[in-house]
Amino acid sequence: MKIIVENVVKEYATVKAVNSLSFTVNRGEIFALLGPNGAGKSSLVKMLTGFTKPDSGNIQVSLDDQQFDAIPNWALGYLPEDRGLYPEKSVIDNLVYFAQLNGMTKTAAKEQANIWLEKFDLTERTNDQLKSLSKGNQQKVQLITAVIHQPQWVILDEPFSGLDPVNQEKVVVFLQELKKLGMTVLLSAHQMAMVEKIADRIMLMNKGEQVFLGTLKEIVKQVGGANQIVAKYQEPLAAETVASVLQDLEHQQINDTSLRVVGNASVNLNLLSNKLTELGQLVSLQSQQLDLHQIYIQAIEQHGGQINEAK
Ligand SMILES: Nc1ncnc2c1ncn2[C@@H]1O[C@H](COP(=O)(O)OP(=O)(O)OP(=O)(O)O)[C@@H](O)[C@H]1O
């Protein structure tokens, strides 16, 4: 069970939403797609689910010794970008209806629905009209509809959106549970801290292209073992002096007496430490690994900016 994407291109009238993208998703992993608005994540997801077709390139899905050009409906659990439940119906009726559409019996659907509702602290809302729930709770119901029939593949477009931090953590636990149940999960998200916690592999996209791909460890390596050095000084530093001494070293003045410098494989550490000493009397020097959020911002800037917006 595997998805192989090879040189896939998807073009709309004025924009190349996906530009010659190649990658593989393996059985049982949680694979995260990251990227700014307009990076091409939803366009890619729509091709993986068979909703649209690539203009060129190949998508190959192997399942139970059979090959498909998209994930077949019977093997798929999908949380679409545009959510669609029935607001007038109760929570349980929504869940049972969608589970039955996916081939479950009413009894099995009810049983599974109750298990998931309990996990998401929604048992008390079982018979309430969906529209009476908060946006976040409606989102949780939508997540349950995507997996209630225990599909082999789960594709979640922005599963954290609209949720507060406590409920975002619940989605992390939910995703870990899907993995334990043997499902393979591909998700798109903007919440870096959550992705860092659960993704086995991450692909950062920008302007329809792959910026990096790998485990968090591999990505840190790909960006040159990125870390940051925070230097604190006894006396205030003049911005002009800092700029003239550090020149093209990527840096940022945090306040009068401290600054942050990005260090990676291309930065000569001896030279850097000489320059930091030259600036004044150091009080402390600390090195920290960049988190995914900082790596993301840096990588997108290096990849030529923000958005792949249609003109
Ligand atoms: N049906 C469409 N017709 C024309 N252009 C489209 C269509 N769908 C997407 N696009 C364009 O393709 C590009 C990629 O959009 P896409 O929705 O795939 O990005 P995304 O990474 O999912 O963004 P977001 O994080 O905002 O959801 C954008 O420039 C978008 O305007």
Side-chain angles (χ1 to χ4, degrees):
M1 191 163 85
K2 202 174 198 175
I3 297 184
I4 300 173
V5 174
E6 271 177 335
N7 301 318
V8 161
V9 174
K10 182 75 195 172
E11 243 171 301
Y12 297 110
T14 54
V15 71
K16 228 178 211 176
V18 175
N19 190 5
S20 200
L21 207 56
S22 300
F23 63 96
T24 301
V25 185
N26 300 310
R27 181 185 187 148
E29 71 178 343
I30 299 182
F31 188 96
L33 290 177
L34 291 179
N37 297 126
K41 304 178 297 294
S42 298
S43 301
L44 174 62
V45 161
K46 283 180 191 152
M47 290 187 280
L48 296 176
T49 57
F51 187 73
T52 59
K53 295 263 172 252
D55 294 323
S56 61
N58 270 312
I59 296 176
Q60 205 184 316
V61 179
S62 353
L63 256 180
D64 304 338
D65 295 331
Q66 287 178 289
Q67 304 293 327
F68 303 88
D69 60 4
I71 303 169
N73 274 340
W74 53 265
L76 177 67
Y78 182 33
L79 176 75
E81 192 184 27
D82 307 313
R83 319 295 198 226
L85 294 179
Y86 292 98
E88 306 292 332
K89 285 191 177 199
S90 69
V91 168
I92 189 74
D93 285 350
N94 266 289
L95 291 175
V96 170
Y97 175 72
F98 282 99
Q100 284 183 300
L101 280 187
N102 282 306
M104 287 181 93
T105 64
K106 198 168 184 175
T107 318
K110 272 193 174 163
E111 197 180 306
Q112 279 301 313
N114 288 330
I115 293 173
W116 285 108
L117 287 170
E118 196 180 341
K119 285 190 213 283
F120 271 131
D121 298 330
L122 284 172
T123 302
E124 283 177 13
R125 311 301 304 266
T126 305
N127 296 307
D128 293 349
Q129 259 186 329
L130 186 82
K131 68 177 185 190
S132 72
L133 271 60
S134 67
K135 196 171 157 228
N137 280 339
Q138 291 190 32
Q139 162 83 340
K140 291 196 263 178
V141 175
Q142 182 92 57
L143 275 170
I144 300 172
T145 62
V147 301
I148 190 165
H149 55 298
Q150 299 227 15
Q152 299 183 53
W153 283 92
V154 181
I155 296 204
L156 307 172
D157 210 343
E158 309 250 357
F160 301 105
S161 79
L163 297 178
D164 62 36
V166 173
N167 282 308
Q168 288 186 5
E169 292 291 341
K170 287 201 172 142
V171 173
V172 167
V173 175
F174 167 79
L175 293 171
Q176 283 161 341
E177 203 143 326
L178 299 186
K179 189 177 159 148
K180 267 194 233 149
L181 290 168
M183 301 181 200
T184 305
V185 182
L186 184 141
L187 63 99
S188 75
H190 290 290
Q191 294 74 5
M192 236 66 62
M194 300 297 123
V195 168
E196 210 169 11
K197 279 186 193 174
I198 34 121
D200 295 305
R201 286 192 307 143
I202 299 163
M203 180 163 82
L204 174 63
M205 290 177 69
N206 190 36
K207 300 181 175 176
E209 293 169 0
Q210 182 184 307
V211 179
F212 56 55
L213 168 65
T215 62
L216 188 57
K217 241 184 179 168
E218 287 163 353
I219 288 166
V220 169
K221 234 181 179 176
Q222 279 175 46
V223 292
N227 60 10
Q228 60 179 357
I229 293 154
V230 176
K232 290 194 177 143
Y233 291 88
Q234 212 149 38
E235 305 289 335
L237 301 163
E240 314 80 69
T241 320
V242 173
S244 82
V245 172
L246 294 182
Q247 293 182 359
D248 50 2
L249 285 167
E250 201 179 326
H251 65 277
Q252 181 198 359
Q253 198 151 350
I254 304 168
N255 55 38
D256 276 4
T257 54
S258 16
L259 49 94
R260 179 184 292 127
V261 190
V262 172
N264 57 37
S266 67
V267 174
N268 178 323
L269 283 180
N270 275 339
L271 184 74
L272 175 60
S273 109
N274 286 345
K275 289 193 171 200
L276 291 176
T277 318
E278 197 182 312
L279 280 172
Q281 184 70 41
L282 276 163
V283 177
S284 66
L285 206 52
Q286 270 184 340
S287 170
Q288 303 159 346
Q289 190 177 308
L290 295 186
D291 62 20
L292 186 57
H293 178 86
Q294 292 161 312
I295 291 174
Y296 171 100
I297 301 282
Q298 200 182 313
I300 293 294
E301 275 170 9
Q302 282 168 4
H303 192 257
Q306 287 280 329
I307 299 175
N308 190 25
E309 202 50 75
K311 304 229 166 43

